[in-house]
Amino acid sequence: MTIHEAYEQWLKDFAADADTIADLKAIAGDEKEIEDRFYTELSFGTAGMRGVLGAGMNRMNRYNVRRATKGLAQYLLRDKENAKRGVVIAYDSRNFSAEFARDTALVLCQEGVPAYLFDALRPVPVLSYAVRHLNAAAGVVITASHNPKQYNGYKVYGADGAQIGPDIADAMTEIIRATKYTDCAVMDEEAAKAAGLLKIIGNAEVDDDYIADIKTLSIQPEMLAQEGPKLNIVYTPLHGSGNVPVRRMLKEIGITNAAVVLEQEQPDGNFPTVKIAPNPENPDAFELAFKLADEKGATVIFATDPDCDRLGVAVKDSQGQWQLLTGNQIGCVLLHYILSTKEKLGTLPKNGAAVKSIVSTSLSNKIAESFGVTMFETLTGFKFIGEKIQQFQDSGEYVFQFGFEESYGFLSSTFVRDKDGVNASLLVAEVAAACQAEGITLYDRVQEIFAKYGYYVEKVVSVTLPGKDGVAKMKSIMSGLRENPPADLAGLKVTAVRDYLKGTVTKDGAVAPTGLPASDVLYYELEGGNWVCVRPSGTEPKIKLYVNSNAADKAAAEALNEKLRAASEELLK
């Protein structure tokens, strides 16, 4: 079927849907836009699917949601007894999230698979928790995480509470591709409830137990109870799903002085108070929080993204200026706090383990090593950290302590299998309380860690390559780098090349396995423990460069990072 035939087919198939038809007719004659919407189908993978909202095969809409859901139902029904356990469905504050979640539930019901639908928006970690808590066969959450407002997405979780792996994603994709959009019916909502297939769930079924379990993650609850009321915190949910659980958790652990940014308190899929995206990595998302924090005399600011799986933190430096901590810095502060405190209390296990993604800072390796804890590395994607947690529990060889990704994802529990902004908020609050008890700030703690282990700088450069041409360009860049790997970058010798697609590590002419699943990632180890990684995004039309440098002091580490960034960007040309 040609692009124009696909376009005409949608006009015919969905003639009864006035909104879809209006959207399609609005692009009539716009060849570039029609091509972008119909040259391919929205891809489905381990991260589910994510795209710009709109009508068309390559857009996020209810028909792609229904089709993906039928694929999930048909996959689960290969084991009918297992499918009876049902699917839990959550959604965030984005435009059409509630509608997509309802469609997901009613397609499942139509296929005979029970659906547990939350009564209002919930964070990703609550969905992950609920899958295990309710002994469900799978979970779905409607979210596009921290993407701009025009996006939405669909993520699938396995029975273990982690995002599905490549085998399940491939099996679902095969079913989805063989399914016609018009063959995905929804059951009547009242009929689904009457049949016992649709269950609406609320606080009593999941949330109360989740918050109770989150509170058990406090390492020094007595200290927190004493110092908590003295803490002065500002929190912003950035119009997302973190507002209720984060504030409830903070209150219940004794932090009574936590002001919320009122302009960003209520759910709003248009995210009117941020310039680009509701992303706690971006300074502009903190502008209102900075203002409120100065008015309140706060010492620390928390921000969670719309689905509350990521946490951003701002602290005041020695000059009284607000500084955003990077995801790597937050991860290292939390890792150091957990390990050092447990060591002091005598509760750090001899077989402790931590997990990070390959693109996260090497500083964490040094911290873990200093406490006798084994650091494991995984591909990017928190599902791989979730898999490690399960492996540790199955084998008993290691005891999980902490996992993180540089992209502001953190986890210290084993009852959630994805990054958890509520969990992370508790930990950061506890570290802030511990610092307060010592008469120092969180910023001071970061500097102490650098002074002890060396100064590390990590930067991520994103090169956007949109549309059909962009996909081809990304493939061309990656194949070119494989055929002609650099011998050095910014004067630093490339000491090893990790090609995760081939599954090889090439060093001094010798080739060894990476030990990780295949992924289109190239990683260049450099002299002095520096490194650069090139990775096409799995959810956005861009290539990401991860540039990591270290030195004895800040100025030298930043200067080296700048040189490496320039050299790395040249690679992509």
Side-chain angles (χ1 to χ4, degrees):
M1 186 181 294
T2 67
I3 289 170
H4 272 278
E5 286 172 343
Y7 172 68
E8 293 296 333
Q9 189 66 47
W10 270 60
L11 284 168
K12 178 182 176 183
D13 288 343
F14 306 119
D17 184 342
D19 290 340
T20 293
I21 297 303
D23 190 11
L24 291 174
K25 286 187 174 180
I27 63 170
D30 188 340
E31 297 301 317
K32 191 72 174 176
E33 181 67 13
I34 291 173
E35 179 186 65
D36 193 46
R37 293 194 189 200
F38 289 94
Y39 83 91
T40 188
E41 295 177 350
L42 198 63
S43 62
F44 185 93
T46 56
M49 59 185 183
R50 189 181 300 182
V52 174
L53 290 161
M57 293 157 36
N58 191 33
R59 289 290 185 272
M60 267 301 295
N61 50 63
R62 69 191 322 162
Y63 302 110
N64 263 322
V65 166
R66 291 177 180 181
R67 191 168 177 240
T69 304
K70 183 161 184 176
L72 170 61
Q74 291 301 311
Y75 173 79
L76 292 175
L77 286 166
R78 292 177 176 180
D79 182 344
K80 290 183 171 59
E81 283 303 309
N82 181 56
K84 288 179 182 178
R85 294 162 59 191
V87 177
V88 189
I89 304 144
Y91 58 94
D92 70 2
S93 59
R94 287 181 175 273
N95 292 327
F96 300 104
S97 282
E99 292 87 344
F100 292 167
R102 180 179 175 276
D103 276 10
T104 299
L106 296 178
V107 169
L108 287 165
C109 294
Q110 178 67 24
E111 299 297 315
V113 178
Y116 298 92
L117 177 64
F118 275 105
D119 59 1
L121 73 170
R122 292 297 195 285
V124 156
V126 173
L127 182 280
S128 174
Y129 178 87
V131 171
R132 293 163 56 81
H133 193 62
L134 298 174
N135 192 34
V140 171
V141 61
I142 308 298
T143 177
S145 190
H146 57 294
N147 281 83
K149 66 181 180 180
Q150 61 265 36
Y151 283 81
N152 212 330
Y154 180 104
K155 292 163 70 172
V156 180
Y157 290 73
D160 62 351
Q163 288 184 56
I164 56 171
D167 291 346
I168 297 175
D170 290 346
M172 280 187 60
T173 296
E174 190 175 338
I175 299 170
I176 292 166
R177 293 288 184 256
T179 301
K180 293 180 180 179
Y181 287 98
T182 50
D183 288 344
C184 307
V186 294
M187 192 172 188
D188 176 76
E189 186 168 348
E190 294 308 314
K193 289 177 180 176
L197 286 167
L198 177 61
K199 302 175 180 68
I200 306 299
I201 55 175
N203 291 343
E205 291 88 352
V206 175
D207 301 71
D208 294 344
D209 291 328
Y210 168 76
I211 293 294
D213 283 344
I214 285 290
K215 291 192 292 184
T216 67
L217 301 175
S218 173
I219 302 170
Q220 300 185 88
E222 296 84 4
M223 179 279 295
L224 192 54
Q226 183 176 339
E227 293 291 331
K230 305 174 197 173
L231 269 181
N232 193 341
I233 290 173
V234 161
Y235 167 64
T236 173
L238 296 177
H239 304 290
S241 61
N243 185 44
V244 172
V246 171
R247 293 172 72 185
R248 176 182 174 183
M249 178 275 298
L250 290 173
K251 183 178 180 181
E252 291 188 17
I253 64 173
I255 297 176
T256 53
N257 194 11
V260 69
V261 178
L262 295 178
E263 298 94 329
Q264 297 175 327
E265 179 183 15
Q266 296 304 317
D268 189 334
N270 291 317
F271 309 113
T273 62
V274 298
K275 294 173 184 173
I276 302 171
N279 186 348
E281 299 178 46
N282 294 341
D284 76 83
F286 281 80
E287 284 185 4
L288 291 169
F290 290 148
K291 181 181 177 183
L292 179 63
D294 285 335
E295 291 172 2
K296 297 286 185 180
T299 55
V300 61
I301 301 170
F302 295 171
T304 51
D305 63 347
D307 58 352
C308 194
D309 59 353
R310 288 175 165 85
L311 175 76
V313 178
V315 295
K316 280 199 170 179
D317 63 19
S318 55
Q319 308 302 313
Q321 300 299 309
W322 286 107
Q323 300 289 339
L324 284 189
L325 298 184
T326 67
N328 282 311
Q329 289 170 346
I330 298 168
C332 286
V333 165
L334 296 183
L335 176 65
H336 185 270
Y337 174 76
I338 290 167
L339 302 186
S340 63
T341 307
K342 286 186 175 182
E343 184 181 68
K344 181 177 66 177
L345 297 173
T347 58
L348 182 63
K350 291 182 179 178
N351 59 341
V355 191
K356 75 175 186 72
S357 64
I358 58 173
V359 296
S360 299
T361 180
S362 301
L363 172 58
S364 60
N365 298 64
K366 293 188 73 173
I367 293 170
E369 183 182 1
S370 72
F371 292 100
V373 168
T374 305
M375 177 63 77
F376 289 84
E377 296 193 356
T378 69
L379 294 174
T380 301
F382 226 87
K383 59 183 171 288
F384 297 114
I385 295 177
E387 285 177 4
K388 276 294 178 188
I389 294 172
Q390 192 62 49
Q391 289 171 17
F392 297 155
Q393 291 189 332
D394 290 344
S395 70
E397 190 174 357
Y398 294 97
V399 179
F400 177 72
Q401 302 299 303
F402 185 64
F404 82 100
E405 288 187 327
E406 53 76 37
S407 55
Y408 293 70
F410 317 100
L411 183 71
S412 69
S413 80
T414 57
F415 49 78
V416 168
R417 298 297 170 84
D418 206 342
K419 46 190 175 287
D420 187 342
V422 186
N423 179 172
S425 295
L426 177 141
L427 291 174
V428 174
E430 184 163 331
V431 177
C435 290
Q436 181 176 267
E438 293 178 38
I440 65 172
T441 67
L442 259 176
Y443 180 82
D444 295 331
R445 177 69 79 223
V446 174
Q447 303 315 307
E448 287 179 357
I449 291 171
F450 283 143
K452 182 174 182 178
Y453 297 100
Y455 207 98
Y456 284 71
V457 175
E458 305 87 15
K459 299 290 184 181
V460 182
V461 178
S462 293
V463 180
T464 301
L465 301 162
K468 184 179 179 181
D469 295 340
V471 174
K473 182 71 173 172
M474 282 196 285
K475 290 180 179 178
S476 174
I477 289 170
M478 296 304 290
S479 63
L481 288 173
R482 286 192 168 88
E483 292 167 10
N484 299 289
D488 65 84
L489 286 169
L492 294 179
K493 181 183 176 184
V494 175
T495 57
V497 177
R498 305 184 203 172
D499 188 335
Y500 289 96
L501 190 61
K502 295 180 179 177
T504 59
V505 181
T506 305
K507 185 174 185 177
D508 297 328
V511 180
T514 61
L516 295 179
S519 183
D520 191 11
V521 179
L522 289 167
Y523 186 111
Y524 303 109
E525 297 180 24
L526 306 171
E527 294 174 274
N530 303 289
W531 54 268
V532 170
C533 184
V534 187
R535 182 180 78 88
S537 172
T539 56
E540 300 168 271
K542 60 178 63 172
I543 282 186
K544 291 187 175 182
L545 286 169
Y546 300 83
V547 183
N548 280 239
S549 60
N550 71 90
D553 61 74
K554 179 179 180 179
E558 289 185 339
L560 178 56
N561 195 278
E562 193 172 326
K563 290 179 182 177
L564 284 173
R565 286 205 307 275
S568 302
E569 289 180 55
E570 282 298 316
L571 280 181
L572 302 189
K573 297 177 182 177

